[in-house]
Amino acid sequence: MSLIKKKKHVSKKNKKAWRKHCDIKDVEDFLEDQRLEERLGKFETKKDSELFVVDTVGEEKPEVVDVKPLTLKQKKRALLPQTPKCYEVLLPTSKVQDPNAKRNHVNPVGTKPTALSKLSLKKQFEKGAYLKKVELARKNRRIVRDKKRRIKEIRNTFDKNIWGEDVPEVKGIPSTLCDDFISTEAQLHNVLPEQRLRPKPAPPKTLVTRPAVVTPHPGVSYNPSYQEHQDLLQQVVQHEEKLMKKEAHLHRVTTSLFSRLTPHEKENQWREEMSEGLPKPHNPANSPSTPSDNDTDNEYKAINPPVKNKKKDHKARRKQKERIAERERLKREKIDKKKITDIYKLRKLQTLISGKEKREEALRVKRAARRALLAATAPPALSAHRTPAPQPDLVEPAQLSGDLRNISSTVNLLRDRFESLQQRGALAASKLMMTKRKRLKAYFKPGHKVTDQDVENYLKKKMVKKTTKKAVVTK
């Protein structure tokens, strides 16, 4: 015997009561199924091959094939043909069709230009803020127009090399990124490292213009003439003056910028700064000696004495206004006079400016020619260090022997040939690297027995080392 549920009479005068006491679960399930079909597609529209699978194996167990796991590089290579994630936002995520197929396009609020927006846009165009954006838009429109024209035209010539280097696929760029609107940097960023085509480095520049053995100056000879020796001395003096000028400049902009203080001056300055604001000690030499002054020391004196509010009369105010007006009139007359004189100076200023521009242009051309000459004759940069500049040789008058028997060599032959190879670009420029010696710290081990005699011997040895070091420095 089935029990019949007794109807429950409730009030349904508002929406809340209707929702509470009405069972609409079947309606919600139906609408949910309908929305799911709209998103994923209806079963009536799908093919049988998408819904069913023909079992050809049966209950037999398939053979287990030993498949090696893919490496990280292989996984990345397999993901290349897929659509990039930056384009997934543009793809539809639902299969629901637009209920209104003939929907009118409505411009959003603010797209219609107003008088104020037109004026501001014009100002920004004059400033050049939108030039880059306009050029990019023109370039994109030109690309689209050329692409449409190429599609419409019937191609009858087959002169394109599909295996050439101009095809993006040959360079290893994925086909999904072979688009006109994708920049070259973005395309090359997604190319695998082993497929990137790097340009072949240029061969090192060798200087064939420089001879293997440079002809020395005639003044370096063991028996030079007076004029040749004086010319060599003049060149050496100019070279030394340049070095001294450079050293003086470095000293002026580094060491001379800071003032040096003696230890006594530094101590006085520190004492004065630290005692600022503290009561100074009583000095009887500076104290007043007259009794009249001593009597007035105890009187109260304000730091800021009161100011009397003395009003100016009409005559004083009129005189003040006249002085201000006269000052302004003289100032305006001076400015007007300067303007008139500047008008008469225009021709002179124009000649000065044109002359200055000509001089600067001549200097610019001269610097460019000198820079080009240095670049053409400079050795190749085979390392980070600069090639050492050749130093002028000098034979002092006292060392001139006059014959080959008493001549003394002043140049190291090995160093001269080594620097010659560097200047011709055969060897990379190098720098002498000196290894620093570690300082050995002497101390007594705590476990050893140390007597007073050992300490005295250690101190004496230390003092001897200091004195010998000072003597070497002074020499």
Side-chain angles (χ1 to χ4, degrees):
M1 183 177 178
S2 61
L3 296 174
I4 301 171
K5 192 175 181 181
K6 188 178 180 181
K7 283 189 177 183
K8 189 178 181 181
H9 297 281
V10 292
S11 174
K12 297 180 182 179
K13 64 179 182 179
N14 49 19
K15 287 185 179 181
K16 186 177 181 181
W18 275 89
R19 293 194 190 100
K20 184 177 180 182
H21 301 292
C22 292
D23 189 11
I24 56 172
K25 187 178 179 183
D26 53 349
V27 180
E28 289 181 350
D29 293 343
F30 172 74
L31 293 176
E32 185 66 28
D33 294 341
Q34 198 173 9
R35 285 193 289 268
L36 185 63
E37 286 182 357
E38 286 180 353
R39 288 198 300 271
L40 304 178
K42 295 183 179 181
F43 290 102
E44 294 83 1
T45 58
K46 291 189 176 182
K47 299 178 182 179
D48 294 342
S49 59
E50 298 180 7
L51 299 175
F52 303 101
V53 178
V54 180
D55 189 5
T56 58
V57 180
E59 296 182 356
E60 296 178 0
K61 294 183 179 180
E63 296 180 0
V64 179
V65 182
D66 188 11
V67 180
K68 293 183 179 180
L70 297 175
T71 60
L72 183 62
K73 187 182 292 185
Q74 291 174 348
K75 289 179 182 178
K76 287 184 178 180
R77 190 175 296 176
L79 291 174
L80 279 177
Q82 297 181 8
T83 307
K85 285 199 171 184
C86 59
Y87 291 154
E88 287 183 358
V89 186
L90 305 176
L91 299 176
T93 57
S94 175
K95 293 186 178 180
V96 180
Q97 297 179 358
D98 192 358
N100 188 2
K102 297 181 180 180
R103 188 180 299 277
N104 295 329
H105 178 69
V106 180
N107 292 328
V109 180
T111 55
K112 187 177 180 181
T114 59
L116 183 60
S117 66
K118 287 179 182 178
L119 186 62
S120 62
L121 193 66
K122 185 180 177 182
K123 288 182 180 179
Q124 291 186 358
F125 263 114
E126 290 175 356
K127 289 181 180 179
Y130 287 97
L131 288 178
K132 189 175 181 181
K133 191 182 292 185
V134 171
E135 289 293 331
L136 185 61
R138 287 177 184 171
K139 181 183 176 183
N140 292 339
R141 284 197 296 269
R142 187 169 59 254
I143 291 171
V144 173
R145 189 169 59 250
D146 295 343
K147 195 173 182 180
K148 287 182 179 179
R149 190 184 297 115
R150 284 197 303 269
I151 292 171
K152 288 181 180 179
E153 291 177 355
I154 300 173
R155 186 171 178 182
N156 296 322
T157 57
F158 302 95
D159 55 349
K160 185 177 180 182
N161 185 12
I162 61 173
W163 304 107
E165 296 181 355
D166 54 344
V167 183
E169 287 82 356
V170 177
K171 299 179 181 179
I173 299 172
S175 58
T176 53
L177 296 176
C178 296
D179 197 354
D180 296 333
F181 294 100
I182 299 175
S183 61
T184 312
E185 291 81 3
Q187 289 177 347
L188 296 177
H189 178 72
N190 292 277
V191 179
L192 292 175
E194 62 267 11
Q195 293 180 350
R196 289 178 185 168
L197 297 176
R198 294 181 178 87
K200 187 177 180 181
K205 185 177 66 174
T206 56
L207 296 175
V208 295
T209 56
R210 294 192 179 184
V213 180
V214 183
T215 306
H217 194 275
V220 190
S221 175
Y222 65 92
N223 190 15
S225 65
Y226 179 77
Q227 188 63 32
E228 291 171 350
H229 194 264
Q230 290 299 317
D231 292 343
L232 179 62
L233 286 177
Q234 193 66 24
Q235 290 181 9
V236 173
V237 166
Q238 291 177 2
H239 180 72
E240 291 296 327
E241 284 180 352
K242 285 183 182 179
L243 294 179
M244 290 168 63
K245 187 177 179 181
K246 191 174 181 180
E247 187 177 354
H249 170 71
L250 290 175
H251 180 74
R252 185 174 64 254
V253 299
T254 53
T255 310
S256 300
L257 287 177
F258 306 100
S259 59
R260 291 179 174 271
L261 294 176
T262 61
H264 184 65
E265 292 176 350
K266 192 175 181 181
E267 185 180 357
N268 292 340
Q269 187 178 359
W270 177 82
R271 187 181 291 106
E272 185 179 352
E273 289 177 356
M274 292 294 105
S275 62
E276 190 70 30
L278 297 176
K280 295 182 179 180
H282 177 69
N283 192 357
N286 299 332
S287 61
S289 58
T290 57
S292 60
D293 294 340
N294 291 331
D295 296 341
T296 57
D297 284 343
N298 297 328
E299 293 181 2
Y300 173 75
K301 293 182 180 180
I303 298 174
N304 295 326
V307 180
K308 295 181 180 179
N309 190 6
K310 187 177 180 181
K311 301 289 184 180
K312 292 183 179 180
D313 54 353
H314 293 286
K315 183 178 179 181
R317 289 186 181 278
R318 179 172 55 79
K319 293 286 186 183
Q320 184 182 7
K321 288 180 181 180
E322 287 177 357
R323 284 196 300 270
I324 293 172
E326 182 67 19
R327 198 183 301 118
E328 290 294 328
R329 185 182 65 80
L330 292 174
K331 188 177 179 181
R332 283 196 301 271
E333 286 182 357
K334 189 176 181 181
I335 293 172
D336 295 340
K337 190 176 180 181
K338 191 176 181 302
K339 287 180 181 178
I340 295 170
T341 54
D342 288 343
I343 291 172
Y344 290 111
K345 285 182 180 179
L346 284 176
R347 190 175 297 173
K348 185 178 179 181
L349 292 172
Q350 189 174 2
T351 54
L352 290 174
I353 292 169
S354 61
K356 186 179 179 182
E357 288 178 353
K358 287 179 182 178
R359 288 194 299 272
E360 289 180 353
E361 184 65 27
L363 286 174
R364 198 178 298 114
V365 171
K366 190 176 179 181
R367 282 195 296 267
R370 186 167 62 249
R371 202 178 297 117
L373 181 62
L374 289 175
T377 59
L382 301 177
S383 64
H385 303 292
R386 286 187 177 182
T387 308
Q391 299 291 333
D393 298 330
L394 174 65
V395 180
E396 296 182 2
Q399 295 179 357
L400 292 173
S401 60
D403 54 355
L404 288 172
R405 289 184 178 182
N406 301 326
I407 192 171
S408 60
S409 61
T410 58
V411 181
N412 189 356
L413 184 61
L414 183 61
R415 178 183 289 275
D416 181 57
R417 291 298 89 206
F418 182 72
E419 291 180 355
S420 175
L421 289 172
Q422 287 182 344
Q423 291 166 8
R424 283 182 286 151
L427 288 178
S430 59
K431 188 178 180 182
L432 185 62
M433 305 297 290
M434 301 294 290
T435 56
K436 292 185 178 180
R437 292 186 179 180
K438 294 183 180 179
R439 286 187 178 180
L440 298 177
K441 187 176 180 181
Y443 62 95
F444 295 105
K445 287 187 177 181
H448 288 250
K449 184 179 180 181
V450 181
T451 60
D452 296 338
Q453 187 67 27
D454 296 336
V455 175
E456 289 179 2
N457 294 338
Y458 173 73
L459 293 176
K460 285 180 181 178
K461 193 183 294 183
K462 199 172 182 181
M463 289 299 294
V464 169
K465 283 185 179 179
K466 282 187 179 180
T467 52
T468 53
K469 191 175 180 181
K470 286 182 180 179
V472 169
V473 171
T474 52
K475 285 181 183 179

